[in-house]
Amino acid sequence: MKTGYMSDPVFPKISLVTPVFNGARFLEKTLASIRAQNYPNLDYIVCDGGSTDGTLEILESNRDLISHLIVGKDRGMYDALARGFARASGEILGWIGCDDLLMPWCLNCVAAYMRATSGCHWLTGIPAVFDKEGRLLWVAQVAPQYRRSWIRRRWYSSIGLGIIQQECTFFTRELYEKSGGLADCVLMRSAGDFDLWCRFARHASLHQTGVFLSGYRMHGNNLGGDAGYLKEARAVRIPSGKIIGYTYSYIVFLWNRLRRKPRQADLLPDNSSV
C-alpha cells in the first residue's frame, strides 16, 4: 500500500470490528486492550447479536470508545463481521474477538509497517496464546513466514504448516473488497478467516512484521481449532508440516537479516504528544 493511498500519512485510519454475543465474561478486558492502543485515528465497531448476559451494559459504559454499535439478531459471527465491515471507514481493517487481547503497541506497529512498506496490503504478527485469565501461554519461537502459493493450497493450519492467526492479521480495504470480503462466509461457523486468507492470496502476499501484536485467549469454549474447524476450512494435512513451516520461516528470517531490512522500531512515528 503506497503512502498516497492513506488519508493520514502518519496515522492512517484503522477500522477494527468486534462481533459479540453473550460475551460479558471477557469483554471488559478486550475493550481495555483496545483503549490502551491510544491510536488517534481508530474507527471501532461492535456488532452485538442480541446479548442477554450484561454485554450491552458493558458496551454502553464504554460508548466513548465505540464509533458504531450495531445491535440486532444475526446469522453468526461472520454475518456480524460482514455488517461491521460494511460500516467501516478505515483504509486498514481487522477484527478482534470479544475474548481476545491486543498488545498496547499493536495498531501503531501495523500502521507504521503498512505506511513504510510499498505494496503491503496484508500483514500479520507473531502468533500468541493467552489462558482464560489473560496470562501469556505461548508465543511462536520463530516469526512465521507465509508463501502465497501455499496459502492458496490451504496448507497453513494446525495440521499443516502452522496457522495464520486472525487476531494479529490486518489488511487494506482495497484487498478486502477485491477478494469479495466475508459475503460468502456468513453461514460458516468458525473457519471464515481461513477461507478469507485463501482468497486474499489470489491477489496479495502476506507480510510479516515480526512483532507480537495480539493473542488468542484459550478458555475451553473457543470455536476455532477443533475438528469441525478443520473440516469447514478444508485444510490440507501435511505430515511433519510444522517442521517444514518453521524451517522455511527461519530461512526467510536469516535472508531478511542479511538484507538488513529496517526494524519495526525504526518505522514507528513519535506520537508521544497524542
Side-chain angles (χ1 to χ4, degrees):
M1 182 170 59
K2 298 179 180 179
T3 302
Y5 177 83
M6 301 182 181
S7 59
D8 186 324
V10 178
F11 299 108
K13 185 178 249 188
I14 298 178
S15 288
L16 191 64
V17 180
T18 293
V20 59
F21 178 71
N22 288 339
R25 180 182 178 191
F26 301 114
L27 181 59
E28 286 186 289
K29 289 188 177 179
T30 298
L31 293 174
S33 79
I34 295 166
R35 191 179 293 279
Q37 298 301 302
N38 193 32
Y39 189 76
N41 204 3
L42 174 62
D43 171 40
Y44 182 46
I45 302 161
V46 180
C47 302
D48 182 274
S51 297
T52 58
D53 67 339
T55 291
L56 288 172
E57 288 78 5
I58 294 171
L59 293 174
E60 286 298 335
S61 68
N62 286 274
R63 198 64 180 84
D64 63 308
L65 178 66
I66 302 170
S67 306
H68 304 286
L69 176 58
I70 303 170
V71 179
K73 189 175 181 180
D74 53 53
R75 292 177 289 175
M77 174 170 59
Y78 297 108
D79 185 33
L81 284 166
R83 295 182 187 189
F85 285 132
R87 294 287 296 274
S89 57
E91 296 102 326
I92 301 171
L93 309 177
W95 78 84
I96 184 77
C98 63
D99 47 2
D100 300 319
L101 298 169
L102 298 181
M103 301 317 314
W105 50 83
C106 174
L107 298 185
N108 277 289
C109 285
V110 168
Y113 188 99
M114 285 192 158
R115 185 185 67 248
T117 309
S118 178
C120 177
H121 285 268
W122 187 19
L123 177 67
T124 196
I126 300 177
V129 176
F130 297 99
D131 70 7
K132 64 182 180 180
E133 304 300 330
R135 296 172 296 200
L136 185 62
L137 291 179
W138 173 83
V139 176
Q141 295 174 334
V142 176
Q145 306 290 333
Y146 304 94
R147 285 182 68 91
R148 185 173 167 183
S149 61
W150 294 354
I151 298 172
R152 291 200 303 266
R153 293 173 185 173
R154 300 179 177 268
W155 288 5
Y156 285 100
S157 72
S158 61
I159 60 171
L161 305 181
I163 64 169
I164 300 173
Q165 192 172 66
Q166 168 264 305
E167 292 77 19
C168 60
T169 301
F170 294 80
F171 41 91
T172 64
R173 170 189 297 280
E174 180 181 336
L175 178 60
Y176 180 79
E177 293 176 349
K178 184 183 292 185
S179 70
L182 289 167
D184 294 334
C185 304
V186 295
L187 297 182
M188 284 189 168
R189 180 174 181 269
S190 58
D193 55 343
F194 191 100
D195 185 79
L196 190 63
W197 307 154
C198 293
R199 285 185 283 114
F200 278 1
R202 299 173 189 169
H203 307 285
S205 296
L206 177 57
H207 289 239
Q208 166 59 263
T209 185
V211 175
F212 166 32
L213 297 174
S214 59
Y216 173 80
R217 189 194 294 264
M218 187 76 70
H219 52 70
N221 294 314
N222 307 86
L223 290 176
D226 59 10
Y229 174 91
L230 295 169
K231 182 178 180 180
E232 187 177 69
R234 294 181 285 122
V236 176
R237 182 180 297 276
I238 301 177
S240 303
K242 291 183 180 178
I243 295 175
I244 297 170
Y246 272 111
T247 301
Y248 172 74
S249 295
Y250 190 61
I251 291 170
V252 174
F253 165 76
L254 290 176
W255 172 245
N256 286 335
R257 290 299 297 270
L258 289 172
R259 292 167 60 203
R260 298 183 181 276
K261 289 187 67 175
R263 297 173 183 267
Q264 181 75 51
D266 300 327
L267 305 178
L268 290 172
D270 179 10
N271 65 334
S272 56
S273 61
V274 175

